[in-house]
Amino acid sequence: FYPTVQRRDSEDLIGEAFEDHLEVKERLYTLLTEESIAPQEFTTSIEELTELIEEHVEKEEQEIFARAAQALS
């Protein structure tokens, strides 16, 4: 999907999207492999992860999907 919309004028945007995906994966991995984590720390991490994902989805819906529609039409 991303390579289809990756043009010179959107390379930064697509690069950010890949970075967002990597950050989410890294944070999830850390949460899943943590042997002991305090409940408050876990809650804070989940809240931060949720915010990161919501921001990413909003960016995709508002910017990347519009460019994808243009690229695919």
Side-chain angles (χ1 to χ4, degrees):
F1 171 76
Y2 287 129
T4 301
V5 296
Q6 191 169 13
R7 302 183 319 242
R8 278 182 274 163
D9 63 333
S10 62
E11 285 181 10
D12 289 343
L13 187 60
I14 301 303
E16 289 176 23
F18 279 117
E19 289 174 10
D20 288 350
H21 285 216
L22 180 59
E23 184 174 357
V24 167
K25 289 176 185 178
E26 289 172 344
R27 287 182 180 218
L28 282 173
Y29 178 80
T30 299
L31 279 173
L32 294 173
T33 58
E34 186 72 35
E35 296 208 12
S36 63
I37 186 169
Q40 184 57 41
E41 184 180 348
F42 180 81
T43 300
T44 300
S45 294
I46 292 295
E47 288 170 351
E48 290 171 353
L49 186 57
T50 300
E51 185 177 324
L52 176 65
I53 292 169
E54 287 173 350
E55 288 172 0
H56 175 77
V57 169
E58 184 177 322
K59 189 185 311 179
E60 280 190 339
E61 290 176 345
Q62 293 179 358
E63 299 177 37
I64 296 175
F65 290 171
R67 291 180 189 203
Q70 289 174 348
L72 297 172
S73 61

